[in-house]
Amino acid sequence: MKTIVINALSALQGGGQTYLINLLSNFTEYKDTRVVVIAPKKYEYLFNNYKNSAIEILAPEFPSKSIFHRFLWEKFRLPNLLRELDASVLYCPGGIVLVKNLSKCKIAVAFRNMLPFATNEIKRYPSGYMRFRLWLLRFFLARSFKKANLVIFISNYAKGIIDKFVPLRRGKSVVIPHGIGKQFLKNENRRSSPLPYGYVLYVSYMDVYKNQLEVIEAWKYLKEMRSTYEKLVLIGPASMRYLHKIMKRIEDYGLKDDIICLGNVKYDDLPAYYQFAKINIFASTCENCPNILLEAMASGRPLFCSNHMPMPEFASDAAIYFDPYNPRELADLLVRYIDNSEFLDKLGERAYEHSLGFNARISAQKTWNALLELIN
């Protein structure tokens, strides 16, 4: 019996959970192969939906108490658990592996968090906890990449970054981009908008490198240049420090009736928000393989996108690009195109066609095959 153990204890937010859900929901049962997922206790219910004869879910209490408890558990308890399970592969999608001296068990990691290696973005945070945390993450990620038997990258851009930071890695590397779940594809039967007004949409976690403040400033310029009936809608969880800045900026600009912060929206509700947006915006300057960008393209609506890599790697010629650090550039593009329905519809159709190249099922199968190749 081959046993793949997935350490999912770091999957505490949407992106990490979405990645694992796509992986588990597209698991093709292989002969004499089982999967054991170690999940956060708080989200055990989420992963239990995928439990079957080949997939087992474990949700220990101790490592779910805090990051310190998780560190101790992964360092001292996990190695024994791997021996008890007779694990063939330990896969850490969060990128960090603390166990060592596993003679029979191969180690695979994924690189999904670009921020610890984005020096310029780290400098945008004030000195203190966040900067220290990101530098610490860089140290542990780099050490894990060095000793892993397999590193799964989700963009060619990301692999190039780690090739520079961690050139000496003992294992092999493979690039497997994320795929799009079929629920995000444009659906003609989806007839009613989730909002009673026209809107331009930006879905993302709210933090400095996502540049919501710059998008808000661009909206202020747009209002100065055009009589704008559409609203700017921001969706996503937030860093509280940054959310406070967002709300203050909206108030200072007198845009409380023009910019709507909806906060976190149920994942299953997002496709409708994308599909009925006049324009989808993605203004991040630090990404690896952005799910949101792929999902927005799949909606069939036009995408105005950050020109920072790796966004062009994924959107290619199916988006309008702008510099997120230059709000006037985004405002000028909105003024130029927002009333050109024919152009926007053609751009949206091009985005939809391009998105079909990113399939969640194929991405998951490539990942399972890469993990099983370590055993074989």
Side-chain angles (χ1 to χ4, degrees), residues 13-20 22 112 154 176-181 184 203-204 210 267 270 274 282 287-299 303 310-311 314 355 358 360 363:
Q13 292 184 358
Q17 292 171 356
T18 301
Y19 176 79
L20 287 165
N22 283 337
R112 301 185 58 257
I154 53 179
I176 306 174
H178 290 326
I180 304 167
F184 282 95
V203 177
S204 189
K210 302 293 189 174
Y267 186 68
L270 283 175
Y274 288 126
F282 191 70
E287 295 294 331
N288 200 319
C289 174
N291 277 317
I292 290 167
L293 183 151
L294 301 179
E295 293 163 0
M297 287 197 301
S299 72
L303 175 66
M311 273 55 83
F314 293 102
S355 75
F358 301 94
S363 177

Side-chain angles (χ1 to χ4, degrees), residues 271-328:
Y273 281 95
Y274 288 126
Q275 186 168 326
F276 287 95
K278 193 163 189 178
I279 295 169
N280 285 300
I281 290 176
F282 191 70
S284 176
T285 46
C286 182
E287 295 294 331
N288 200 319
C289 174
N291 277 317
I292 290 167
L293 183 151
L294 301 179
E295 293 163 0
M297 287 197 301
S299 72
R301 297 306 301 152
L303 175 66
F304 284 28
C305 186
S306 163
N307 62 6
H308 287 235
M309 286 295 287
M311 273 55 83
E313 178 180 336
F314 293 102
S316 187
D317 65 348
I320 295 292
Y321 293 98
F322 64 92
D323 179 0
Y325 298 136
N326 185 350
R328 283 201 178 274

Side-chain angles (χ1 to χ4, degrees), residues 94-98 109-111 113 116-117 134-148 151 153 161-171:
I96 293 176
V97 57
L98 299 174
V109 299
F111 177 42
N113 184 1
F117 294 90
L134 290 170
W135 289 115
L136 199 62
L137 279 173
R138 179 190 290 192
F139 170 79
F140 281 111
L141 286 167
R143 194 173 71 164
S144 299
F145 297 155
K146 284 181 181 178
K147 66 181 180 181
V151 181
F153 295 98
I161 293 293
I162 298 305
D163 284 345
K164 294 177 182 178
F165 275 96
V166 193
L168 301 177
R169 305 190 299 273
R170 78 170 188 177

